[in-house]
Amino acid sequence: MSDKKERTEISSLGEFGLINKLKQHFTLEQKSSIKGIDDDAAIIQPHEGEQMVVSTDMLMENVHFDLAFHPLKHLGYKAVTCNISDIAAMNAIPTQITVALALSSRFSVEAIEELYQGIHKACQDYKVDLIGGDTTSSRSGLAICITAIGQAPAQRIVCRNTAQKGDVICVSGDLGGAYVGLQILNREKQVYQAAPLAQPKLDGYSYILERYLKPEARMDLVHELAALDIVPTSMIDISDGLSSELLHICKQSKLGAVIFEENIPLAAQTIETATNDLNMSVLTCALNGGDDYELLFTIKQSDYEKLKNHPDIHFIGYMREAESGVSLATRAGQNITINAQGWQHF
Amino acid sequence: MSDKKERTEISSLGEFGLINKLKQHFTLEQKSSIKGIDDDAAIIQPHEGEQMVVSTDMLMENVHFDLAFHPLKHLGYKAVTCNISDIAAMNAIPTQITVALALSSRFSVEAIEELYQGIHKACQDYKVDLIGGDTTSSRSGLAICITAIGQAPAQRIVCRNTAQKGDVICVSGDLGGAYVGLQILNREKQVYQAAPLAQPKLDGYSYILERYLKPEARMDLVHELAALDIVPTSMIDISDGLSSELLHICKQSKLGAVIFEENIPLAAQTIETATNDLNMSVLTCALNGGDDYELLFTIKQSDYEKLKNHPDIHFIGYMREAESGVSLATRAGQNITINAQGWQHF
């Protein structure tokens, strides 16, 4: 957070001045957005015959992000991504967001503008309108709370509790990269704190750093599945690690599952960095590391043919009866019971 | 925050254990609530032919509330009230809320349950469903972010920018009480800090303390106006003080206004406490004090007859052309220009 450049104090603008400055770049593009910022509440005209989905996430400084290495613009983008990813996981199309921010006077107007640049970029990329929120002060850290709203016909909305026995378990992208990227950032932060003149060694880590700092919600896949006329039988986004999310689907669908180690998608940089730099099991990173924002979903076996050649969807296992439990079949031929090891907030 | 009673650490339950414990008292009552907590997002089936309104507010410890004197149950209730009040100000019917909480380990499970008892009571009183949210940790204070959703036919939704010249300016309830109540609470906190064995002197202040600690959103009036077939020409809730809110309506409606000091509703206890205990101008408290959550609205002159005998609606002035400005006509016959003096967060 060292902006040596211009520094305008928030107090010189006041709350309404700040809001006016920030909102000027945001316009309403969605047909369903009738009224945005400027009133007690925003107004939405729901798409005819569609249901709405709503998700809220709160991000707290030094819990969910560290401003020592998270550029504010990327943070704004990521805060939106987390929420859009929840809408994607419902197989719905995001339409609007509200953003509530609490910040202390250590933030300059320029810093907040940077944060909003990231939010604005995300609104453009995900085609959602910023329709409201709150900007207030905090005694200490930065808090960001975003609510995302999406819409879809009822028959396309996908929950976690509707997987069926025999369904194929699919995962998009690759896993564990964000977690490994975070470990590298933490390592370099410690080096910097011990020797402030040392240059951070981040060359060669660009893929995993981007996975952590600027993840993308997989709206591309939501659109592709629609184009292929596939409705997943269940879906969840991977924010807390594959193990935890798979257990949610199993518990709520009252089923067991088996996944195969050899099928879990891993990027080369994730494998190399975990193994060589961090001396960690890359499998553990993929199972238990958070922040990937990929999609975990199940499909009917009859839909497998349509998806089997998709370059970015991986078939990692299948759903089975609850009595058989939830397990990982390793390359070595062992069966390991999967326990939740996702983020422990408390 | 001295709960000497039972103390269960959040860590003993974990995030999901805590959420399971808290959610058990909440059920879905609204027909439009299809799915609540338990998935990536909640699902709402919008009322046919109606628009939706959405409002988000963030409350931060030691900025918006002080746990030294704000009981957690009342705080939970008030957090919901602030948001429902925004929905009321749109002349819409609230239907759902999401609640995002960030809290540190100094909160016990019992403390959080108390907070949720207040949220639950508010959900019952305002007939809204808690459909989702987030429970996460904070490095320092408590943060509460609530998003409220409401619905109404488009022709009944009321904005701030649609007042007309000649419209009668109405205000509900009485003003300044919450602000005066807060001053008494702050005074007694200082006494307590100086002499911890001193008993707080709160007798005789119950009305104004309740105004601050447990305000009610005026949904009763939204229903009454509908029953009388009145649609206000503009409306806003009074969260930042009458001056600030009136200026919002004037600015957005591109009009001026005059209000009369003698018509501003004040409770006897507000007047006595401001004048005798605090040596403050009660008019200043009413104009600039926040947290009243009454409604400020304008009606056509032709609707005045229907409302003139209403015991809790007060007619404080009228809208006029922008060139005449926004002013207060005092009892002494002076005209004072109204400036915004609402809460300065920064």
Side-chain angles (χ1 to χ4, degrees):
Chain A
M1 272 268 313
S2 65
D3 51 337
K4 295 273 157 54
K5 301 160 278 180
E6 216 179 331
R7 181 179 168 96
T8 310
E9 300 299 330
I10 302 175
S11 54
S12 71
L13 289 178
E15 182 186 359
F16 296 120
L18 178 64
I19 293 171
N20 280 332
K21 193 173 174 68
L22 296 174
K23 79 178 181 192
Q24 64 190 351
H25 303 294
F26 289 88
T27 52
L28 299 183
E29 305 292 336
Q30 285 283 335
K31 207 181 130 203
S32 57
S33 303
I34 306 298
K35 185 154 199 165
I37 305 162
D38 264 351
D39 223 298
D40 297 284
I43 307 175
I44 297 170
Q45 173 72 58
H47 298 155
E48 212 172 307
E50 296 200 354
Q51 291 186 332
M52 306 192 70
V53 293
V54 182
S55 175
T56 297
D57 265 314
M58 178 99 105
L59 299 183
M60 302 295 289
E61 184 174 350
N62 295 329
V63 175
H64 301 93
F65 57 88
D66 185 337
L67 291 177
F69 51 66
H70 217 139
L72 282 163
K73 190 173 169 182
H74 287 182
L75 179 63
Y77 194 95
K78 182 169 175 173
V80 179
T81 289
C82 304
N83 278 274
I84 299 298
S85 183
D86 283 322
I87 303 300
M90 302 299 287
N91 205 34
I93 307 300
T95 45
Q96 287 90 12
I97 60 169
T98 67
V99 175
L101 276 189
L103 27 90
S104 66
S105 55
R106 86 185 150 97
F107 291 90
S108 66
V109 171
E110 287 76 16
I112 304 164
E113 285 189 298
E114 229 181 288
L115 185 69
Y116 267 88
Q117 276 167 22
I119 293 172
H120 188 252
K121 176 76 165 58
C123 284
Q124 289 185 313
D125 285 2
Y126 297 123
K127 297 186 177 58
V128 296
D129 291 341
L130 176 75
I131 55 164
D134 197 9
T135 307
T136 188
S137 61
S138 152
R139 285 279 181 245
S140 49
L142 173 63
I144 309 175
C145 186
I146 296 187
T147 294
I149 295 170
Q151 303 188 44
Q155 68 277 13
R156 288 206 63 82
I157 292 180
V158 177
C159 295
R160 300 173 175 177
N161 62 348
T162 40
Q164 299 290 320
K165 201 177 118 178
D167 285 350
V168 181
I169 302 172
C170 311
V171 70
S172 65
D174 56 77
L175 302 181
Y179 180 77
V180 173
L182 174 60
Q183 303 316 308
I184 291 296
L185 288 166
N186 274 325
R187 184 186 74 177
E188 294 306 310
K189 183 185 170 186
Q190 282 171 4
V191 169
Y192 174 81
Q193 284 172 334
L197 293 178
Q199 286 295 308
K201 290 186 189 136
L202 298 173
D203 285 353
Y205 298 122
S206 59
Y207 178 73
I208 55 173
L209 296 182
E210 181 139 326
R211 290 294 286 167
Y212 179 74
L213 294 174
K214 195 171 169 288
E216 297 281 344
R218 299 305 305 260
M219 282 309 305
D220 57 330
L221 292 180
V222 174
H223 291 293
E224 281 182 55
L225 290 170
L228 290 167
D229 200 23
I230 295 174
V231 178
T233 56
S234 71
M235 186 149 62
I236 191 170
D237 73 318
I238 304 179
S239 53
D240 285 349
L242 176 61
S243 294
S244 167
E245 314 302 359
L246 180 63
L247 287 170
H248 280 304
I249 285 184
C250 288
K251 191 179 167 197
Q252 293 197 32
S253 296
K254 300 187 173 63
L255 288 174
V258 59
I259 58 173
F260 299 92
E261 179 185 359
E262 62 193 333
N263 295 347
I264 295 175
L266 301 166
Q269 200 173 84
T270 307
I271 300 172
E272 281 161 29
T273 310
T275 313
N276 303 337
D277 295 75
L278 301 170
N279 198 22
M280 295 176 80
S281 149
V282 69
L283 181 64
T284 305
C285 297
L287 288 174
N288 301 334
D291 269 342
D292 281 323
Y293 300 106
E294 294 295 340
L295 292 172
L296 173 69
F297 57 102
T298 55
I299 56 169
K300 288 180 288 194
Q301 290 184 14
S302 55
D303 281 331
Y304 172 73
E305 278 297 316
K306 291 191 208 169
L307 276 186
K308 69 175 183 188
N309 294 320
H310 194 290
D312 207 28
I313 294 177
H314 311 277
F315 309 95
I316 63 168
Y318 58 87
M319 302 301 293
R320 59 185 182 184
E321 60 286 333
E323 295 69 37
S324 306
V326 184
S327 62
L328 173 79
T330 68
R331 281 199 171 86
Q334 285 182 301
N335 272 294
I336 300 173
T337 299
I338 292 181
N339 297 309
Q341 297 276 345
W343 295 112
Q344 294 293 328
H345 291 306
F346 298 105
Chain B
M1 271 270 315
S2 65
D3 52 337
K4 297 271 157 53
K5 301 160 279 180
E6 215 179 333
R7 182 181 167 94
T8 311
E9 300 299 331
I10 303 174
S11 54
S12 71
L13 290 178
E15 181 187 358
F16 296 120
L18 178 64
I19 293 170
N20 280 333
K21 193 173 174 70
L22 296 174
K23 80 177 182 192
Q24 65 189 353
H25 302 294
F26 290 87
T27 51
L28 298 183
E29 305 293 337
Q30 285 283 336
K31 208 181 132 203
S32 58
S33 302
I34 305 299
K35 184 153 200 166
I37 305 163
D38 263 351
D39 222 297
D40 296 284
I43 306 176
I44 297 171
Q45 174 71 57
H47 298 155
E48 212 170 308
E50 296 199 355
Q51 290 186 333
M52 307 193 69
V53 293
V54 182
S55 174
T56 297
D57 265 313
M58 178 100 104
L59 299 183
M60 302 295 289
E61 184 174 351
N62 294 330
V63 175
H64 301 95
F65 58 87
D66 184 337
L67 291 176
F69 52 67
H70 217 139
L72 282 163
K73 190 173 170 182
H74 286 184
L75 180 63
Y77 194 95
K78 183 169 175 173
V80 179
T81 290
C82 303
N83 278 274
I84 299 298
S85 184
D86 283 323
I87 303 300
M90 301 300 286
N91 204 34
I93 308 299
T95 45
Q96 286 91 12
I97 59 168
T98 66
V99 175
L101 276 189
L103 26 91
S104 67
S105 55
R106 85 184 151 97
F107 291 90
S108 66
V109 171
E110 288 76 16
I112 303 166
E113 284 189 299
E114 231 182 287
L115 185 69
Y116 267 88
Q117 276 168 21
I119 293 172
H120 188 252
K121 176 77 165 59
C123 284
Q124 290 184 313
D125 286 2
Y126 297 122
K127 298 186 176 58
V128 295
D129 292 341
L130 176 75
I131 54 163
D134 196 10
T135 307
T136 189
S137 61
S138 152
R139 285 279 181 243
S140 49
L142 173 63
I144 309 174
C145 186
I146 296 187
T147 294
I149 295 170
Q151 303 188 43
Q155 67 277 12
R156 289 207 63 83
I157 292 179
V158 177
C159 295
R160 300 173 175 178
N161 63 348
T162 40
Q164 299 291 320
K165 202 176 116 179
D167 286 351
V168 181
I169 302 172
C170 311
V171 68
S172 65
D174 55 78
L175 301 181
Y179 180 77
V180 173
L182 174 60
Q183 303 316 308
I184 292 296
L185 288 165
N186 274 326
R187 184 185 74 179
E188 293 307 309
K189 183 186 171 186
Q190 281 171 5
V191 170
Y192 174 82
Q193 285 173 333
L197 293 176
Q199 286 295 306
K201 289 186 188 135
L202 298 174
D203 285 354
Y205 298 121
S206 58
Y207 179 72
I208 54 172
L209 295 181
E210 181 138 328
R211 291 294 285 168
Y212 179 74
L213 293 174
K214 193 171 170 289
E216 296 281 345
R218 299 305 306 260
M219 280 311 303
D220 57 332
L221 292 180
V222 173
H223 291 293
E224 282 183 52
L225 290 170
L228 291 167
D229 200 24
I230 295 174
V231 178
T233 55
S234 70
M235 187 148 63
I236 190 169
D237 73 319
I238 305 180
S239 53
D240 285 349
L242 177 60
S243 295
S244 166
E245 314 302 1
L246 180 61
L247 287 170
H248 280 304
I249 286 184
C250 288
K251 190 179 167 197
Q252 294 197 32
S253 296
K254 299 188 173 61
L255 288 174
V258 59
I259 58 172
F260 299 91
E261 179 185 0
E262 62 192 334
N263 295 346
I264 294 176
L266 302 166
Q269 200 173 85
T270 307
I271 300 173
E272 281 160 29
T273 310
T275 314
N276 302 337
D277 294 75
L278 300 170
N279 198 24
M280 295 177 82
S281 150
V282 70
L283 181 64
T284 304
C285 297
L287 289 174
N288 302 334
D291 269 341
D292 282 321
Y293 300 105
E294 295 294 340
L295 292 173
L296 172 69
F297 57 101
T298 55
I299 55 168
K300 288 180 287 195
Q301 290 185 15
S302 55
D303 280 331
Y304 172 73
E305 278 297 315
K306 291 191 207 169
L307 276 185
K308 69 176 183 186
N309 294 320
H310 194 291
D312 207 29
I313 294 176
H314 311 276
F315 309 94
I316 62 168
Y318 58 87
M319 303 301 292
R320 60 185 181 184
E321 59 288 332
E323 295 69 37
S324 307
V326 185
S327 63
L328 172 79
T330 68
R331 283 202 170 82
Q334 285 181 299
N335 272 294
I336 300 174
T337 298
I338 293 180
N339 298 309
Q341 299 275 346
W343 295 112
Q344 294 293 330
H345 291 306
F346 299 105

